[in-house]
């Protein structure tokens, strides 16, 4: 398998399998946590360097914790891969994430709002693991859809 093929396989699997146990409800919560932990341990390097993950500069465990909290707060997440470009050890992905805000996250109480957020990530893969991650997410749209910031940019 070429480096490009390996990179594509790792990144696609990480994105798709990260949501395979959705919706996260009741007894499925522990299944979600167990499977997500196994996915991270297999596909994410312990010392991954993170760019653009709020409050998380480095490390698989802290990134896992962030993903777990996100999955619990948005238990019906579904990510659509709009465009994916892979060359050698890097994959650039343009995606749309849709989910319903059902539990508190980062001080925001659950709103019950279904939102759609666009973002782009770049993953660098070495030896079958993601070793570096860049993320640019339309956080303004996210906060506006949740009603935290109004369309005229005033804080609610």
């Amino acid at each position: 398998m070429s480096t490009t093929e390996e990179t594509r396989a790792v990144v696609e699997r990480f994105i798709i399998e990260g949501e395979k146990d959705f919706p996260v409800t009741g007894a499925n919560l522990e299944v979600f946590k167990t499977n997500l932990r196994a996915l991270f341990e297999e596909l994410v390097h312990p010392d991954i360097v993170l760019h653009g993950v709020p409050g998380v500069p480095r490390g698989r465990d802290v990134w896992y914790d962030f993903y777990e909290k996100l999955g619990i707060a948005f238990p019906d997440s579904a990510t659509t891969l709009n465009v994916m470009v892979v060359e050698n050890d890097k994959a650039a992905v343009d995606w749309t994430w849709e989910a319903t805000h059902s539990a508190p996250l980062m001080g925001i109480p659950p709103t019950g709002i279904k939102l759609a957020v666009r973002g782009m990530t770049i993953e660098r893969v070495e030896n079958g693991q993601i070793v570096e991650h860049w993320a640019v997410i339309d956080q303004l749209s996210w906060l506006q859809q949740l009603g935290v910031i109004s369309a005229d940019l005033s804080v609610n």
Side-chain angles (χ1 to χ4, degrees), residues 21 40 42 50-52 77 79 94 96 111 114 121 140 151:
D21 296 309
F40 265 73
E42 180 183 351
L50 303 165
H51 309 276
S77 296
T79 301
D94 171 71
T96 302
T111 62
K114 178 138 184 142
T121 54
L140 178 59

Side-chain angles (χ1 to χ4, degrees), residues 90-108:
K90 292 185 185 74
V93 183
D94 171 71
W95 46 262
T96 302
W97 179 66
E98 295 180 79
T100 306
H101 186 210
S102 302
L105 182 69
M106 294 188 273
I108 303 170

Side-chain angles (χ1 to χ4, degrees), residues 3-73:
T3 302
T4 298
E5 290 168 337
E6 177 189 41
T7 298
R8 177 180 301 279
V10 167
V11 172
E12 281 181 346
R13 188 165 162 232
F14 181 76
I15 292 169
I16 292 166
E17 288 191 24
E19 294 179 339
K20 78 175 185 170
D21 296 309
F22 285 74
V24 176
T25 57
N28 197 33
L29 176 60
E30 289 309 312
V31 172
F32 162 69
K33 288 179 179 181
T34 298
N35 290 342
L36 186 65
R37 173 61 72 189
L39 184 69
F40 265 73
E41 288 178 1
E42 180 183 351
L43 298 181
V44 178
H45 191 276
D47 293 321
I48 185 171
V49 177
L50 303 165
H51 309 276
V53 179
V56 182
R58 175 180 223 108
R60 175 174 63 202
D61 290 339
V62 290
W63 197 28
Y64 166 84
D65 290 342
F66 177 80
Y67 252 71
E68 180 186 281
K69 288 174 186 166
L70 195 63
I72 292 168

